[in-house]
């Protein structure tokens, strides 16, 4: 044992467990114990005589040794990388302290853990696990710092609580969102921000979290410090301790109030569109002014929650005379004094007749407080405070009416109600103008019908006389008289004219409701046979075939009017099939109806026109203009059959002829 080893043994304990090196002033290793050899995976003889920098990169020269250990304070500690044959990263903790002889002169350096009084000594400790642990700890602390920064700067409220609901953390966004500071809520129960009607939600949340479950994007309502409702979306996760036990819940609350407000506005808009469509459909189905007024005021009063609704319609008729109509609705409607409204010249007393007007409280509104609207609306002492008035404007820009709503509580009508009523007023304007146009058409139709009826009556007498005279003249003329064919043609044309006049008279009777039916029991089959023979006698261009399912069809009906229908159908079949030579008539019974079918093989009726041919004065397009007729025959025939409780229909294809089907109840 040399002198250096002796000094080391004298001052260092636990030689077998602690790696120890001794170096001289030049950094040459002069001593290494077994633990040091094992640390560097070399034999003792390899270490001895080597420079310390071979094993520690931070020590390159003697000067660095001098600066690192001699000139520094005792007990210097450094973490160093240790060489490893396997390439694995290893770290050591170097502790140094100077050793000197009796004269105080430094002789060697050691890496040692304990202190000696004779020489410098030092030790190396393998701290790989400690270094890894420290690195992980540092990374963990950095992650926690980053997490804390995220929590503190997040726009979402981040709150943690125990399983009993006690608040344990509260970030800055939670303060901004709910209005409570962290000091005000820590240790308080989370129910502080939960509405009373939603307190059951907390129990459900805790129950799920306690079982390890999560809650994602749960939309609900919470309450701020000022009492305002806050719509939030909650995401909640369990908090687990080091032993894996669930000890609480972490809650992220996102304020979705603006989103909810947008959704509510969108829903209100959708509802308003549906309401407008419904009201529009209702008013479009009516062509009566008073009915339209009542429908609109009933629906709109209910929709906007008014206690009173009034619709005043004021237009000029064709003589520029006032056309006034009035409708009211609501819980106060029976209290209105309509006569006083008319007597008071309300239209001129209303200050905003042609403008939209909305008042929170009429009794304090300078425009209204002295007006008839406030002072004399009702028989009793009820007072209207909230007011909404919307003009009804025609397409020409003329104000033709006003929708007025009232409520005895102030502040009841807002912008949404105003916009909705404006939309209703626009639709109503169109409906009213259509109704007025319809009234004018009805008026003109009535005048036209009166004229047609009067003219027909006036023409009927001379035509009847003319037919009679021509018949008498024809009978007295001798056979072979050159003038007889002329008289017969005049008689034929006079009969046609008489038929046209009869059609116009029948139309007048139908329109005025004066077409009466005289029911009697008769054999329909015999009647059809007789009419076919009469028509066949007057025509030589077509042969009429008759097929009956059975010999007798007893029905109760107006025989004369049914004869008129059959004559019209047969004449049409002949007239509209000039290139054919045959007409077929079928009579059968089916499901309590007598079914009469008249078939021709002529030009047919286009599909697009079939629904119109039973209209008054309608003639199918593409028909030869030389074919006479007013377009009244099928209209009259259908009216007669309809009044019998039957049906008149057509089956036709262009160029292939037509089949007219008559169904008469037996």
């Amino acid at each position: 044992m040399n002198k250096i080893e002796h000094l080391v043994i004298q001052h260092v304990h636990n030689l077998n467990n602690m790696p120890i090196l001794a170096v001289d002033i030049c950094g040459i290793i002069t001593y290494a114990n077994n633990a040091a050899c094992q640390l560097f995976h070399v034999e003792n003889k390899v270490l001895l005589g080597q420079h310390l920098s071979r094993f520690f990169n931070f020590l390159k020269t003697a000067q660095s040794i001098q600066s690192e250990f001699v000139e520094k304070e005792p007990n210097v500690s450094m973490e160093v990388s240790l060489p490893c044959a396997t390439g694995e990263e290893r770290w050591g903790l170097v502790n140094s302290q100077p050793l000197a002889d009796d004269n105080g002169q430094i002789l060697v350096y050691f890496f040692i853990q304990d202190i000696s009084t004779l020489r410098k000594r030092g030790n190396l400790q393998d701290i790989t696990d400690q270094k890894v642990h420290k690195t992980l700890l540092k990374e963990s602390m950095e992650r926690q710092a980053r997490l804390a920064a995220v929590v503190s700067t997040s726009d979402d409220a981040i709150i943690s609580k125990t399983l009993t609901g006690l608040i344990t953390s509260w970030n800055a966004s939670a303060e901004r969102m709910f209005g409570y500071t962290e000091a005000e809520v820590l240790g308080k129960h989370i129910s502080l921000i939960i509405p009373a009607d939603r307190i059951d939600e907390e129990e459900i949340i805790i129950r799920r979290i306690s079982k390890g479950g999560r809650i994602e994007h749960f939309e609900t309502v919470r309450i701020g410090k000022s009492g305002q409702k806050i719509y939030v979306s909650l995401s909640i996760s369990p908090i687990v301790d080091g032993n894996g036990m669930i000890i609480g819940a972490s809650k992220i609350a996102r304020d979705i109030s603006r989103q909810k407000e947008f959704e509510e506005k969108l829903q209100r808009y959708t509802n308003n569109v549906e309401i407008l469509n419904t009201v529009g459909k209702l008013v479009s189905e009516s062509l009566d002014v008073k009915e339209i007024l009542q429908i609109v005021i009933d629906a709109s009063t209910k929709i906007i929650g008014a206690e009173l609704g009034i619709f005043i319609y004021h237009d000029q008729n064709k003589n520029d005379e006032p056309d006034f109509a009035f409708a009211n609705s609501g819980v106060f409607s029976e209290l209105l004094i309509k006569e006083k409204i008319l007597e008071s010249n309300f239209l001129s007393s209303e200050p905003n007749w042609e403008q939209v007007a909305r008042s929170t409280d009429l009794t304090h509104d300078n425009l209204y407080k002295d007006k008839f609207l406030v002072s004399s609306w009702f028989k009793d002492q009820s007072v209207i405070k909230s007011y909404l008035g919307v003009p009804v404007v025609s397409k020409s820009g003329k104000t033709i009416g006003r929708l007025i709503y009232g409520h005895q509580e102030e502040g009841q009508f807002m912008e949404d109600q105003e916009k909705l009523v404006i939309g209703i007023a626009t639709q109503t304007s169109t409906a009213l103008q259509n109704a007025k146009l319809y009234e004018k058409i009805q008026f003109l139709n009535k005048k036209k019908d009166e004229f047609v009826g009067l003219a027909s009556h006036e023409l009927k007498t001379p035509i009847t006389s003319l037919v009679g005279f021509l018949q008498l003249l024809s009978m007295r003329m001798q056979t072979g008289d050159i003038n007889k064919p002329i008289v017969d043609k005049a008689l034929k044309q006079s009969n046609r004219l008489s038929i046209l006049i009869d059609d116009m008279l029948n139309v007048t009777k139908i329109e005025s409701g004066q077409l009466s039916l005289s029911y009697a029991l008769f054999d329909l089959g015999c009647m059809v046979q007789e009419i076919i023979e009469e028509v066949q006698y007057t025509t030589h261009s077509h042969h009429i075939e008759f097929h009956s399912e059975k010999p007798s069809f007893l029905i109760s009906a107006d025989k004369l009017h049914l004869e008129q229908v059959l004559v019209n159908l047969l004449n049409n079949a002949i007239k509209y099939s000039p290139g054919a030579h045959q007409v077929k008539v079928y009579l059968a019974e089916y499901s309590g109806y007598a079914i009469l079918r008249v078939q021709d093989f002529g030009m047919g009726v286009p599909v697009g026109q079939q629904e119109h041919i039973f209209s008054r004065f309608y003639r199918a397009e593409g028909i030869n203009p030389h074919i006479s007729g007013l377009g009244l025959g099928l209209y009259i025939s259908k009216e007669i059959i309809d009044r019998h409780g039957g049906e008149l229909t057509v089956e036709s294809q262009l160029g292939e002829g037509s089949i007219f089907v008559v169904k008469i109840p037996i």
Side-chain angles (χ1 to χ4, degrees), residues 361-468:
D361 188 351
L362 290 178
T363 59
H364 293 85
D365 194 323
N366 292 330
L367 280 176
Y368 291 96
K369 64 182 181 180
D370 297 326
K371 299 294 182 181
F372 177 80
L373 182 66
V374 177
S375 59
S376 306
W377 269 115
F378 307 111
K379 298 176 183 177
D380 64 0
Q381 299 301 315
S382 298
V383 176
I384 288 295
K385 291 186 177 181
S386 293
Y387 167 76
L388 175 61
V390 175
V392 180
V393 183
S394 67
K395 290 184 178 179
S396 63
K398 178 184 176 183
T399 300
I400 59 175
R402 190 167 183 82
L403 290 162
I404 298 171
Y405 306 91
H407 200 287
Q408 61 182 342
E409 296 182 8
E410 61 183 63
Q412 293 299 306
F413 305 131
M414 300 300 173
E415 185 178 0
D416 282 349
Q417 286 96 329
E418 178 182 314
K419 290 181 178 179
L420 182 58
V421 174
I422 290 174
I424 292 175
T426 301
Q427 291 185 330
T428 303
S429 172
T430 302
L432 286 172
Q433 291 181 84
N434 290 340
K436 293 296 291 184
L437 181 61
Y438 178 74
E439 286 182 357
K440 291 180 181 179
I441 293 174
Q442 290 294 92
F443 175 79
L444 294 175
N445 277 336
K446 183 179 179 181
K447 291 296 182 181
K448 181 263 299 175
D449 290 339
E450 290 176 357
F451 169 78
V452 171
L454 180 62
S456 300
H457 279 291
E458 293 296 326
L459 290 171
K460 184 67 176 177
T461 300
I463 289 297
T464 302
S465 299
L466 179 61
V467 169

Side-chain angles (χ1 to χ4, degrees), residues 205-218:
I205 290 171
I206 292 299
R207 192 180 306 122
R208 182 179 297 184
I209 293 298
S210 299
K211 295 179 180 179
R214 296 171 59 89
I215 295 175
E216 299 286 349
H217 309 301
F218 173 58

Side-chain angles (χ1 to χ4, degrees), residues 113-326:
Q113 185 174 15
D114 295 328
I115 298 175
S116 176
T117 58
L118 296 178
R119 293 180 180 272
K120 280 187 165 182
R121 61 188 182 184
N123 68 37
L124 280 74
Q125 181 179 359
D126 189 349
I127 58 164
T128 300
D129 293 339
Q130 296 179 26
K131 184 67 176 178
V132 172
H133 175 73
K134 185 174 181 179
T135 300
L136 294 176
L137 180 61
K138 181 180 178 182
E139 292 176 353
S140 176
M141 292 177 66
E142 289 176 351
R143 285 196 299 270
Q144 291 181 10
R146 288 194 295 269
L147 179 60
V150 170
V151 171
S152 63
T153 60
S154 173
D155 292 332
D156 296 330
I158 302 178
I159 305 166
S160 61
K161 61 185 178 182
T162 66
L163 292 179
T164 59
L166 299 181
I167 299 171
T168 56
S169 71
W170 184 267
N171 73 341
S173 289
E175 293 185 1
R176 291 191 295 270
M177 186 180 299
F178 298 105
Y180 294 100
T181 65
E182 184 179 27
E184 290 178 303
V185 298
L186 289 182
K188 301 290 182 61
H189 196 273
I190 196 67
S191 59
L192 180 69
I193 60 172
I194 301 178
D197 59 345
R198 293 179 178 264
I199 200 67
D200 291 343
E201 293 177 358
E202 179 64 14
E203 298 179 6
I204 297 173
I205 290 171
I206 292 299
R207 192 180 306 122
R208 182 179 297 184
I209 293 298
S210 299
K211 295 179 180 179
R214 296 171 59 89
I215 295 175
E216 299 286 349
H217 309 301
F218 173 58
E219 295 186 3
T220 184
V221 178
R222 293 296 181 255
I223 298 179
K225 186 176 181 179
S226 62
Q228 83 277 16
K229 287 185 177 181
I230 304 170
Y231 291 93
V232 295
S233 174
L234 300 180
S235 295
I236 308 171
S237 305
I239 297 176
V240 182
D241 64 9
N243 297 321
M245 298 293 293
I246 297 174
I247 59 173
S250 175
K251 178 185 298 184
I252 300 176
R254 175 162 295 176
D255 189 344
I256 58 171
S257 298
R258 289 187 179 180
Q259 175 185 334
K260 282 296 180 182
E261 181 181 355
F262 175 77
E263 290 176 356
E264 289 176 359
K265 285 184 178 180
L266 182 61
Q267 185 61 48
R268 287 197 300 270
Y269 174 79
T270 303
N271 293 340
N272 288 349
V273 171
E274 292 178 355
I275 290 169
L276 290 175
N277 289 338
T278 302
V279 174
K281 184 175 184 297
L282 288 174
V283 297
S284 65
E285 291 175 350
S286 176
L287 290 171
D288 180 81
V289 170
K290 292 184 178 179
E291 184 179 5
I292 291 173
L293 298 184
Q294 198 63 56
I295 289 173
V296 169
I297 199 62
D298 283 342
S300 58
T301 300
K302 183 177 180 180
I303 288 167
I304 69 172
E307 292 181 329
L308 170 68
I310 302 171
F311 196 161
I312 300 175
Y313 176 68
H314 182 260
D315 199 6
Q316 303 295 116
N317 60 21
K318 59 182 178 57
N319 297 321
D320 290 331
E321 297 176 356
D323 187 2
F324 184 90
F326 178 91

Side-chain angles (χ1 to χ4, degrees), residues 491-545:
L491 179 60
K492 183 177 180 180
Q493 295 301 322
S494 297
N495 284 328
R496 291 181 62 185
L497 183 59
S498 179
I499 292 172
L500 293 176
I501 293 172
D502 286 339
D503 284 346
M504 288 191 292
L505 283 172
N506 283 327
V507 169
T508 303
K509 291 179 181 179
I510 290 171
E511 294 299 318
S512 62
Q514 297 177 356
L515 181 66
S516 58
L517 301 179
S518 179
Y519 283 82
L521 189 66
F522 65 94
D523 188 342
L524 179 62
C526 292
M527 185 271 282
V528 172
Q529 185 66 52
E530 291 172 0
I531 296 301
I532 288 176
E533 291 175 358
E534 291 180 8
V535 174
Q536 185 69 76
Y537 180 76
T538 61
T539 182
H540 303 287
S541 61
H542 291 70
H543 174 65
I544 305 174
E545 295 183 7

